[in-house]
C-alpha cells in the first residue's frame, strides 16, 4: 500500500525532515533507515513509501545533515490503521508536534493515567467499496471520561452546523480523536470545527474558540484514504490549571501511625485532596537513608540507595498482626505513645519498626518466600534489590555504611554479592529480611499511588541531584561518580557561605557511554509510583557546583563543567596574575586581629606561621579546611561544653582559608584558574588597587554571567532529552539560585516546568506577582527549604511592608502577624495565576484558618539549609482524619480553587 506523507515545518539551511516507524519501509524504528522527505512548496515536506502492513506506528524527526544533530517531535508515537479491503493508498497530512507547548504537557502521565484516563469507547467506520473518505483527527488530551470530541461543519455530512447532528469521534487512539467521513465532490472544500460533547447532558457543551477550520482539498480519490491531522483544540476556558498540596510523608499524622507518616496515610490525604478540589500531592524523597541508625539519617536527600524505599514509611497494620501476642501488645503500646509526640522521634520510630520487621519476617518467611507475588517482585527488582540488601547487612555487621572500612566486600564483587541471595547461604535471612521489607513498602506505595490515580489525583516525587557518598550506588559503580569531589551550591539566600551537600558529583562522560542507563533505571522505577517528579537543583544538569574534598565550605567550589581562565587571557585583559597573591589565602596580621579580636594571639600561636613580616600561612596540620574540620571535631568531642567557642574558632579559620581570589582548575597543572565566587567580600580583593579591582570585576562578571551560556546549554542538552524520554512522567525543575541565562530556554524547549517562588524571583525584583508567572511553571508560596508563610511574615517587617503594599495592594500598615485573611489573600493570588500548577505547603494552607493552624509558626519549619545537621522531624499538629472532617475549612478551600479556575472538568 502506498502511503504519502506531507508535513509543514520551517527548516534552516542544512536541515531535513524524516519519518521513521515500525514498518520496514520506514526503517523499522532505525533512524538511519528512515524515510527522508523532500522539500516542497513553501514549508511543506513530502515523501511516500510502500508499506507491507496497513497498521503501523510512526514519528517525525529533524536532522542537521552537517552535524548529525537530531530531534524527534514531541509525544507518543503516531498510529495509522487503514482498511486494506477499502483502500489501495493513503495521503497523510500531519503537523509537527513541538515539545515546548502546553499540549505536550497534557499528554504526560498524570493526564493520561489520572485526569483524562479513559475506558475504551471506540467505534470504527464501516466502509463501502466506493466513496471519498477523509479521516479527520486531532490530538486533544484534555477531555475527561464523561465527554467526547465531536466534529461539525458546513456540509450536510458534517451536520450543516446543526448541533443535533454532531459526529462523535473515536477515542481508540486517545489522546488522538478521529472520525472517518464519506464526502461527496459537491461538499468540497468545506469548513468545520471541533466540539466537546457531554454524554450525561447529551449535547455539545463547548465549541473551540477560533475561526472555522478549512479543508481545502477538492479532488479526492475513491481508492485513497485522506487523513487530515489537526493539533490543539482551542478551549474557550483557557489553559488547564490545577492545584496541589506539598507535605513530606514523614510529616503526616494519622490515628493509626507509628509516630511518623506512612504510605497508607496517603490514601486519606488523597480523600482530602478530592474534597478540596486539589489534583496533586507533592512529597519529599522517600528512599532509604538508613546509614548510621541515628537521627542524622532523617535527612531525606542522602539515600543509601536511589531505588530502595525507606522502611520508616511502612505501615505495620498493613503488613499484618504478629502471632506473638505479647510482642504485638508491646509494639502497639509503644506505637500509640510515639504517635502522640509533637515531633518525629526518628530513632525511636526506627527501633520499634525494626523489632516488628524482624518478628514479622521470622513468622512469615516460609510462606512469603514461596508466594508468587514475592517471586514476581524479586524478578522485577533483583537488579538493584540484592545489592541493596547485602549492603544493608554489611552496614549493620560493621556498624558503618562506609564500605571502604569493611573487611570483606569493601570492593564490590557481583558474584560474591549475588551468592547471598541463595537460600542456602548462611547469611540468607539477614539479607532476605530486606527483601521482605522492600516488598511491603513497594506494595503499599503502589497501592497508594493507584488509589490516588483512581480518584483523579497524582503523586509528585522528588529526585535528589546527588547520591550519598556511602551508598549502594557508590559501592557498586564508583566509576560513575567523582568520588574526590563534593556537590553543593554557591552562596545564596539560604547560606552566605554556600552549601556543601557532601555528595560526589556525577561523571557524566562515563554515564553517557551506556546511554545514561543508571539514570533511566532510576526514573523507570520512580514512574511506578509517581506521575510527576521534581528535579532537585536542575541547574546541576547544566553545571554542578563542585567542591574538592579538601574544602568544607561551598565558597571554595567551582562550576563543573567550566571554561577556566588561562594566563594568556589574564594578560590580554591587562591583569598581572600574581600567583601567590591571587591563589593563596591572604592572611595578614590586621586581618587575623579583625576576625578573632582578643583571641588573635591564640590563632597566631596555634594555627599560623609567619613567613614574612605581617604575612601568615597555615601550619601543615591546618592547611586545608578539611584538616581544620577534623581537628575541631575531635576537640569538640573531648570538650563538648566548649562547643560554641570552638565552633567560632573553626569558622574563623574557614574564613581565612576562603580568602582567595582564584582557584586552580582541575587537571590544568597550574595553568588555568576559576574565580572564587563572591571574591568581592574577601580581604584580598578589598586591599587591591582600584585599577586591578575594575579589571577583575569585568573578568568576574563575564565569567559568571556570559562566558558559559552556550557551553552549559550544550551540556544540558546532552543529558536531559534522554532522561526525559525514559518515562512519560511530567517533569518540574527546581531552578532557584544562580540561574544561567540558558536555563529557561532549555526548560521551555523540553517542556520542563519551572518553579516560581513568590519571594525568590529569578530576576531583580524583590517579589514575584503571581500574575507574572509563566504558564509552564509551578507557582508556590514556599518550599521545604524555606520558612513558612507565617514565619517569613515576621522575619523582616520592612520587607513585609513592601510586600503588603506592592503585591497585596494594601495602603495601611501591615499587620505584625500573618493573619488568616492575609494568608487567604496570598493563596488566592497564586490560584488565579497563569501557572499550570499552584502547589502549596500544607502549613501555608492551614494558615488561612485561625483555629486550625498551629499556634507558633516557628514550629512549622521543615528544613534550615544553612544547618547541615538539621533534624528533619516536623509533623502536622492535627491528624489528616481531622482535616478531612473539617467541612468548613475544606469548603472554603474548594471554593477558592474553583474561583481560581483550577477545577475544570475538561
Amino acid at each position: 500500500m502506498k502511503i504519502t506523507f506531507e508535513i509543514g515545518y520551517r527548516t534552516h539551511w542544512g536541515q531535513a525532515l524524516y519519518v521513521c516507524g515500525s514498518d520496514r519501509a520506514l526503517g523499522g524504528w532505525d533512524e538511519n533507515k528512515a524515510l527522508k522527505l523532500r522539500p516542497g512548496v513553501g514549508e511543506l515536506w513530502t515523501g511516500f513509501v510502500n508499506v507491507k502492513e496497513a497498521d503501523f506506528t510512526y514519528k517525525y524527526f529533524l536532522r542537521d545533515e552537517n552535524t548529525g544533530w537530531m530531534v524527534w517531535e514531541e509525544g507518543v508515537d503516531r498510529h495509522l490503521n487503514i482498511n486494506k479491503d477499502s483502500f489501495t493508498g493513503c495521503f497523510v497530512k500531519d503537523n509537527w508536534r513541538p515539545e515546548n507547548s502546553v499540549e505536550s504537557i497534557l499528554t504526560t502521565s498524570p493526564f493520561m493515567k489520572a485526569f483524562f484516563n479513559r475506558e475504551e469507547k471506540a467505534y470504527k467506520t464501516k466502509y463501502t467499496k466506493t466513496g471519498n473518505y477523509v479521516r479527520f483527527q486531532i490530538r486533544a488530551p484534555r477531555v475527561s471520561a464523561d465527554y467526547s470530541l465531536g466534529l461539525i461543519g458546513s456540509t450536510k455530512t458534517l451536520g450543516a452546523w446543526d448541533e443535533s447532528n454532531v459526529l462523535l469521534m473515536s477515542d481508540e487512539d486517545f489522546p488522538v480523536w478521529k472520525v472517518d467521513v464519506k464526502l461527496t465532490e459537491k461538499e468540497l472544500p468545506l469548513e468545520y470545527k471541533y466540539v466537546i460533547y457531554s454524554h450525561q447532558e447529551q449535547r455539545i457543551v463547548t465549541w473551540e474558540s477560533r475561526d472555522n477550520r478549512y479543508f481545502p482539498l477538492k479532488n479526492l480519490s475513491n481508492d485513497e484514504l485522506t487523513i487530515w491531522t489537526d493539533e490543539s483544540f482551542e478551549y474557550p476556558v483557557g489553559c488547564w490549571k490545577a492545584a496541589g498540596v506539598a507535605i513530606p510523608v514523614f510529616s503526616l499524622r494519622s490515628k493509626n501511625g507509628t509516630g511518623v507518616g506512612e504510605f497508607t496515610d496517603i490514601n486519606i490525604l488523597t480523600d482530602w485532596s478530592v474534597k478540596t478540589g486539589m489534583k496533586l500531592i507533592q512529597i519529599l524523597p522517600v528512599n532509604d537513608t538508613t546509614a548510621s541508625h541515628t537521627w542524622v539519617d532523617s535527612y531525606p536527600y542522602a539515600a543509601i540507595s536511589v531505588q530502595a524505599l525507606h522502611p520508616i514509611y511502612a505501615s505495620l497494620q498493613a503488613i499484618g498482626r504478629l502471632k506473638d501476642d505479647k510482642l504485638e501488645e508491646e509494639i502497639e503500646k509503644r506505637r500509640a505513645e510515639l504517635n502522640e509526640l509533637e515531633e518525629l522521634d526518628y530513632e525511636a520510630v526506627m527501633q520499634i519498626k525494626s523489632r516488628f520487621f524482624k518478628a514479622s519476617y521470622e513468622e512469615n518467611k516460609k510462606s512469603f518466600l514461596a508466594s508468587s507475588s514475592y517471586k514476581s517482585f524479586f524478578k522485577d527488582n533483583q537488579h538493584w534489590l540484592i545489592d541493596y540488601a547485602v549492603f544493608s547487612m554489611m552496614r549493620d555487621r560493621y556498624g558503618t555504611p562506609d564500605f571502604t572500612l569493611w573487611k570483606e566486600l569493601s570492593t564490590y564483587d557481583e558474584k560474591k554479592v549475588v551468592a547471598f541471595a541463595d537460600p542456602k547461604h548462611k547469611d540468607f535471612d539477614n539479607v532476605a529480611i530486606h527483601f521482605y521489607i522492600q516488598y511491603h513498602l513497594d506494595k503499599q506505595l503502589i497501592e497508594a499511588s493507584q488509589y490516588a490515580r483512581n480518584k483523579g489525583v497524582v503523586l509528585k516525587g522528588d529526585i535528589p541531584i546527588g547520591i550519598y557518598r556511602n551508598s549502594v550506588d557508590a559501592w557498586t559503580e564508583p566509576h560513575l561518580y567523582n568520588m574526590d569531589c563534593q556537590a553543593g551550591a554557591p552562596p545564596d539566600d539560604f547560606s552566605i557561605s554556600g552549601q556543601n551537600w557532601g555528595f560526589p558529583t556525577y561523571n557524566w562522560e562515563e554515564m553517557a557511554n551506556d546511554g545514561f542507563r543508571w539514570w533511566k533505571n532510576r526514573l523507570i522505577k520512580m514512574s511506578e509510583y509517581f506521575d510527576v517528579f521534581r528535579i532537585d537543583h536542575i541547574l546541576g544538569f547544566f553545571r554542578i557546583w563542585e567542591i574538592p574534598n579538601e574544602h568544607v565550605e561551598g565558597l571554595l567550589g567551582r562550576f563543573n563543567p567550566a571554561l577556566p581562565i588561562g594566563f594568556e587571557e589574564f594578560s590580554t585583559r591587562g591583569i598581572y596574575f600574581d600567583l601567590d597573591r591571587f591563589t593563596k589565602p591572604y592572611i595578614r596580621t590586621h586581618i587575623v586581629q579583625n576576625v578573632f579580636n582578643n583571641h588573635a594571639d591564640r590563632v597566631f600561636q596555634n594555627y599560623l606561621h609567619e613567613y614574612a613580616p605581617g604575612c601568615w600561612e597555615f601550619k601543615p596540620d591546618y592547611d586545608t579546611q578539611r584538616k581544620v574540620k577534623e581537628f575541631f571535631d575531635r576537640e569538640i568531642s573531648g570538650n563538648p561544653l566548649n562547643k560554641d567557642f570552638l565552633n567560632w574558632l573553626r569558622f574563623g579559620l574557614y574564613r581565612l582559608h576562603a580568602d582567595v581570589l582564584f582557584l586552580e582548575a582541575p587537571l590544568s597543572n597550574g595553568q588555568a584558574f576559576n574565580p572564587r565566587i563572591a571574591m568581592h567580600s574577601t580581604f584580598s580583593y578589598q586591599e587591591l588597587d582600584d585599577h586591578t579591582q575594575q579589571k577583575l570585576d569585568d573578568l568576574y562578571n563575564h565569567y559568571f554571567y556570559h562566558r558559559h551560556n552556550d557551553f552549559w546549554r550544550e551540556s544540558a542538552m546532552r543529558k536531559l532529552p534522554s532522561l526525559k524520554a525514559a518515562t512519560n512522567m511530567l517533569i518540574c525543575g527546581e531552578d532557584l539560585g544562580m540561574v544561567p541565562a540558558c536555563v529557561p530556554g532549555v526548560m521551555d524547549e523540553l517542556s520542563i516546568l519551572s518553579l516560581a517562588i513568590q519571594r525568590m524571583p529569578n530576576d531583580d525584583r524583590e517579589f514575584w506577582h503571581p500574575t507574572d508567572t509563566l504558564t509552564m511553571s509551578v507557582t508556590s508560596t514556599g518550599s521545604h527549604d524555606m520558612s513558612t508563610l507565617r514565619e517569613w511574615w515576621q522575619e523582616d517587617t520592612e520587607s513585609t511592608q513592601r510586600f503588603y503594599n506592592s503585591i497585596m495592594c494594601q495602603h495601611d500598615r501591615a499587620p505584625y502577624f500573618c493573619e488568616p485573611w492575609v494568608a487567604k489573600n496570598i493563596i488566592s493570588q497564586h490560584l488565579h495565576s497563569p501557572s499550570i500548577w499552584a502547589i502549596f505547603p500544607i502549613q501555608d494552607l492551614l494558615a488561612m484558618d485561625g483555629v486550625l493552624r498551629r499556634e507558633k509558626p516557628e514550629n512549622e519549619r521543615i528544613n534550615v539549609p544553612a544547618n547541615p545537621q538539621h533534624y528533619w522531624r516536623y509533623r502536622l499538629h492535627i491528624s489528616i482524619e481531622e482535616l478531612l472532617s473539617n467541612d468548613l475549612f475544606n469548603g472554603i478551600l474548594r471554593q477558592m480553587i474553583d474561583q481560581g479556575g483550577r477545577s475544570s472538568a475538561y
Side-chain angles (χ1 to χ4, degrees):
M1 176 178 288
K2 180 180 178 181
I3 309 293
T4 302
F5 296 95
E6 182 177 280
I7 185 170
Y9 191 92
R10 177 178 294 178
T11 58
H12 300 294
W13 179 258
Q15 294 180 337
L17 279 181
Y18 290 78
V19 58
C20 191
S22 57
D23 191 272
R24 180 178 297 180
L26 294 174
W29 288 119
D30 183 346
E31 60 201 36
N32 295 314
K33 298 178 181 179
L35 171 66
K36 183 177 181 179
L37 302 180
R38 303 183 306 273
V41 178
E43 299 174 359
L44 294 178
W45 290 75
T46 62
F48 70 89
V49 291
N50 290 301
V51 297
K52 184 177 181 180
E53 299 295 333
D55 189 337
F56 60 88
T57 55
Y58 68 100
K59 210 171 183 180
Y60 297 95
F61 68 83
L62 175 71
R63 173 182 282 158
D64 188 304
E65 304 291 57
N66 297 317
T67 65
W69 172 87
M70 60 178 291
V71 61
W72 289 84
E73 65 172 342
E74 178 276 328
V76 297
D77 301 337
R78 298 175 185 263
H79 179 218
L80 194 149
N81 181 22
I82 308 166
N83 188 325
K84 291 192 295 185
D85 295 332
S86 301
F87 303 104
T88 59
C90 177
F91 170 75
V92 183
K93 173 65 171 68
D94 283 325
N95 295 286
W96 177 269
R97 294 172 173 173
E99 282 197 310
N100 56 335
S101 67
V102 175
E103 202 73 13
S104 69
I105 293 292
L106 300 182
T107 61
T108 55
S109 181
F111 300 93
M112 296 297 97
K113 291 184 177 180
F115 308 146
F116 306 132
N117 184 33
R118 305 183 64 82
E119 299 294 332
E120 291 189 7
K121 300 174 183 177
Y123 66 89
K124 297 181 179 180
T125 301
K126 294 181 179 179
Y127 303 106
T128 59
K129 289 296 182 182
T130 60
N132 302 322
Y133 275 93
V134 177
R135 175 175 296 170
F136 290 91
Q137 61 183 25
I138 181 172
R139 188 174 62 154
R142 189 179 165 186
V143 184
S144 55
D146 294 331
Y147 300 86
S148 286
L149 222 62
L151 179 69
I152 195 165
S154 58
T155 70
K156 181 178 179 180
T157 305
L158 297 186
W161 301 118
D162 182 351
E163 291 192 5
S164 63
N165 292 324
V166 61
L167 295 178
L168 296 185
M169 305 178 76
S170 167
D171 61 358
E172 62 183 321
D173 285 336
F174 183 78
V176 173
W177 297 82
K178 61 186 181 181
V179 62
D180 293 345
V181 182
K182 184 179 180 181
L183 297 168
T184 64
E185 291 185 4
K186 294 181 180 180
E187 293 179 291
L188 300 173
L190 56 82
E191 295 181 343
Y192 65 101
K193 269 191 175 182
Y194 296 103
V195 297
I196 295 179
Y197 181 87
S198 169
H199 292 289
Q200 290 183 347
E201 301 178 41
Q202 296 188 349
R203 67 179 183 89
I204 295 173
V205 291
T206 297
W207 289 65
E208 56 179 340
S209 58
R210 53 161 293 155
D211 294 337
N212 294 341
R213 297 178 185 264
Y214 183 63
F215 182 79
L217 303 182
K218 297 181 181 180
N219 300 313
L220 302 178
S221 169
N222 288 342
D223 297 329
E224 185 178 71
L225 174 65
T226 298
I227 298 181
W228 193 257
T229 306
D230 291 305
E231 298 286 339
S232 302
F233 185 96
E234 297 192 20
Y235 295 85
V237 293
C239 291
W240 183 93
K241 301 191 303 181
V245 61
I247 182 172
V249 174
F250 63 76
S251 297
L252 293 172
R253 180 187 295 270
S254 71
K255 294 179 179 178
N256 294 321
T258 310
V260 66
E262 298 165 344
F263 287 148
T264 52
D265 296 333
I266 295 173
N267 291 356
I268 311 173
L269 192 63
T270 293
D271 292 339
W272 179 72
S273 298
V274 172
K275 200 169 192 178
T276 55
M278 288 186 288
K279 292 183 170 65
L280 181 146
I281 296 171
Q282 175 176 320
I283 62 177
L284 294 184
V286 288
N287 296 106
D288 188 3
T289 61
T290 309
S292 64
H293 294 290
T294 67
W295 66 266
V296 177
D297 297 342
S298 67
Y299 179 41
Y301 288 89
I304 63 167
S305 166
V306 297
Q307 303 275 12
L309 299 171
H310 202 308
I312 202 169
Y313 298 122
S315 166
L316 308 187
Q317 289 89 340
I319 294 176
R321 284 182 56 89
L322 297 176
K323 297 172 184 176
D324 184 334
D325 291 337
K326 183 178 180 181
L327 180 57
E328 172 71 23
E329 183 178 342
E330 182 182 340
I331 289 177
E332 172 57 25
K333 179 182 178 181
R334 185 63 176 141
R335 182 204 67 79
E337 292 172 351
L338 291 170
N339 213 32
E340 291 299 316
L341 297 179
E342 182 177 347
E343 295 181 305
L344 165 64
D345 186 333
Y346 183 93
E347 294 178 22
V349 170
M350 283 300 294
Q351 287 167 5
I352 197 67
K353 289 201 172 189
S354 295
R355 289 187 65 193
F356 174 89
F357 295 143
K358 185 175 181 180
S360 181
Y361 170 74
E362 288 296 331
E363 291 180 354
N364 298 290
K365 66 180 179 182
K366 185 175 181 179
S367 59
F368 166 73
L369 295 171
S371 67
S372 59
S373 59
Y374 160 70
K375 291 178 180 178
S376 176
F377 167 76
F378 184 83
K379 180 181 178 181
D380 292 341
N381 295 277
Q382 61 180 319
H383 62 282
W384 63 265
L385 183 61
I386 296 174
D387 292 338
Y388 161 77
V390 174
F391 180 94
S392 298
M393 181 198 70
M394 300 296 285
R395 170 203 62 204
D396 294 343
R397 173 174 294 177
Y398 291 106
T400 177
D402 186 350
F403 47 86
T404 65
L405 302 178
W406 299 346
K407 294 179 181 179
E408 55 180 323
L409 290 178
S410 58
T411 299
Y412 178 75
D413 185 320
E414 182 179 8
K415 187 175 181 180
K416 291 181 180 179
V417 168
V418 170
F420 281 92
D422 187 338
K424 296 179 182 178
H425 196 285
K426 61 183 179 65
D427 286 316
F428 176 74
D429 282 338
N430 294 327
V431 172
I433 188 173
H434 299 289
F435 300 162
Y436 182 72
I437 297 169
Q438 288 299 314
Y439 166 83
H440 284 289
L441 286 163
D442 179 80
K443 181 173 183 288
Q444 290 179 20
L445 185 52
I446 284 179
E447 288 176 352
S449 176
Q450 193 56 52
Y451 181 85
R453 286 181 186 135
N454 292 341
K455 296 277 189 175
V457 178
V458 294
L459 304 187
K460 178 181 178 182
D462 193 339
I463 192 161
I465 186 58
I467 67 151
Y468 186 49
R469 186 170 298 275
N470 298 317
S471 65
V472 180
D473 304 277
W475 178 51
T476 56
E477 299 185 278
H479 63 287
L480 296 181
Y481 320 101
N482 299 315
M483 300 299 290
D484 58 346
C485 295
Q486 309 159 97
D492 56 20
D493 290 345
F494 294 139
S495 176
I496 60 173
S497 61
Q499 297 179 52
N500 183 348
W501 304 323
F503 308 140
T505 57
Y506 295 117
N507 186 338
W508 288 110
E509 289 74 19
E510 279 288 341
M511 288 184 160
N513 288 337
D514 61 6
F516 303 104
R517 167 194 52 82
W518 180 87
W519 274 102
K520 290 177 179 178
N521 288 341
R522 183 182 189 182
L523 292 170
I524 289 169
K525 182 61 181 177
M526 198 173 186
S527 69
E528 296 177 13
Y529 312 123
F530 305 104
D531 294 305
V532 187
F533 75 95
R534 166 189 177 271
I535 299 180
D536 171 52
H537 194 66
I538 195 173
L539 306 183
F541 287 88
F542 294 78
R543 81 293 184 271
I544 196 70
W545 191 250
E546 188 174 74
I547 308 157
N549 278 348
E550 64 264 26
H551 301 316
V552 174
E553 292 185 312
L555 277 172
L556 290 173
R558 72 264 171 144
F559 288 124
N560 181 13
L563 300 171
I565 304 160
F567 287 121
E568 184 177 342
E569 185 173 348
F570 283 109
S571 178
T572 301
R573 289 178 172 272
I575 301 171
Y576 169 68
F577 191 80
D578 185 332
L579 183 64
D580 286 349
R581 176 70 174 78
F582 283 9
T583 64
K584 292 184 178 179
Y586 183 72
I587 309 173
R588 301 295 182 263
T589 300
H590 65 280
I591 293 174
V592 176
Q593 292 169 339
N594 179 294
V595 173
F596 294 97
N597 301 316
N598 296 334
H599 299 281
D601 287 342
R602 174 175 179 161
V603 173
F604 287 134
Q605 181 178 350
N606 292 332
Y607 310 111
L608 301 176
H609 164 70
E610 188 173 23
Y611 64 89
C615 300
W616 301 80
E617 63 185 2
F618 279 98
K619 292 179 179 179
D621 287 345
Y622 311 101
D623 60 5
T624 69
Q625 285 191 339
R626 179 66 54 191
K627 290 180 179 179
V628 172
K629 178 184 185 303
E630 292 172 353
F631 170 78
F632 279 95
D633 284 348
R634 293 191 297 270
E635 289 292 296
I636 291 172
S637 176
N639 187 10
L641 296 179
N642 211 21
K643 177 181 178 181
D644 290 343
F645 173 71
L646 291 172
N647 270 329
W648 178 79
L649 275 179
R650 179 213 304 258
F651 289 114
L653 294 176
Y654 284 173
R655 183 177 179 184
L656 295 186
H657 268 295
D659 210 281
V660 296
L661 300 179
F662 290 88
L663 305 166
E664 182 180 336
L667 306 177
S668 70
N669 294 319
Q671 300 301 303
F673 304 86
N674 297 304
R676 203 216 80 172
I677 190 76
M679 69 159 63
H680 304 83
S681 64
T682 64
F683 292 107
S684 182
Y685 173 86
Q686 292 162 12
E687 297 190 3
L688 291 170
D689 61 85
D690 292 344
H691 174 76
T692 304
Q693 285 185 352
Q694 181 59 53
K695 293 292 185 181
L696 290 181
D697 287 349
D698 293 341
L699 176 60
Y700 183 94
N701 290 331
H702 177 264
Y703 179 92
F704 281 108
Y705 300 107
H706 304 287
R707 185 185 190 91
H708 295 93
N709 282 334
D710 292 339
F711 181 64
W712 284 338
R713 171 185 163 79
E714 182 181 332
S715 172
M717 291 302 287
R718 285 196 299 266
K719 309 158 191 168
L720 287 172
S722 295
L723 274 52
K724 183 176 186 290
T727 72
N728 197 35
M729 289 187 288
L730 175 60
I731 308 176
C732 306
E734 185 266 293
D735 54 342
L736 303 178
M738 193 175 180
V739 182
C742 60
V743 171
V746 169
M747 293 179 67
D748 183 58
E749 186 174 337
L750 298 179
S751 295
I752 298 175
L753 302 188
S754 62
L755 178 59
I757 301 289
Q758 187 170 34
R759 44 192 156 118
M760 281 196 70
N762 287 332
D763 54 27
D764 295 332
R765 285 176 288 180
E766 186 176 11
F767 315 107
W768 281 107
H769 193 289
T771 57
D772 295 334
T773 57
L774 302 172
T775 298
M776 302 280 279
S777 70
V778 177
T779 187
S780 182
T781 51
S783 75
H784 64 275
D785 281 329
M786 304 170 69
S787 54
T788 61
L789 193 57
R790 293 170 63 205
E791 188 179 7
W792 167 76
W793 191 267
Q794 299 167 211
E795 286 174 352
D796 184 341
T797 56
E798 293 184 3
S799 176
T800 300
Q801 186 65 50
R802 291 191 296 272
F803 179 91
Y804 185 73
N805 298 146
S806 63
I807 303 298
M808 296 182 63
C809 299
Q810 302 293 322
H811 304 294
D812 57 338
R813 188 68 188 168
Y816 178 77
F817 297 107
C818 181
E819 306 292 353
W821 72 268
V822 172
K824 186 176 180 181
N825 182 298
I826 295 171
I827 297 293
S828 181
Q829 282 189 345
H830 284 74
L831 289 170
H832 282 85
S833 74
S835 297
I836 193 169
W837 283 108
I839 302 175
F840 305 99
I842 199 165
Q843 305 97 306
D844 291 353
L845 292 175
L846 295 177
M848 297 190 299
D849 189 295
V851 176
L852 268 182
R853 66 188 194 174
R854 206 180 198 122
E855 180 181 356
K856 296 180 179 179
E858 58 269 22
N859 293 335
E860 295 181 321
R861 186 77 182 257
I862 295 174
N863 180 39
V864 182
N867 177 12
Q869 294 294 306
H870 177 74
Y871 192 169
W872 297 63
R873 60 188 316 192
Y874 165 73
R875 294 184 75 199
L876 272 177
H877 59 292
I878 59 172
S879 70
I880 42 181
E881 291 93 345
E882 292 176 78
L883 190 58
L884 180 62
S885 66
N886 194 306
D887 292 336
L888 177 60
F889 174 76
N890 295 336
I892 292 172
L893 181 54
R894 178 61 185 255
Q895 183 181 38
M896 291 174 64
I897 289 172
D898 290 347
Q899 291 173 345
R902 296 184 178 271
S903 57
S904 173
Y906 47 77

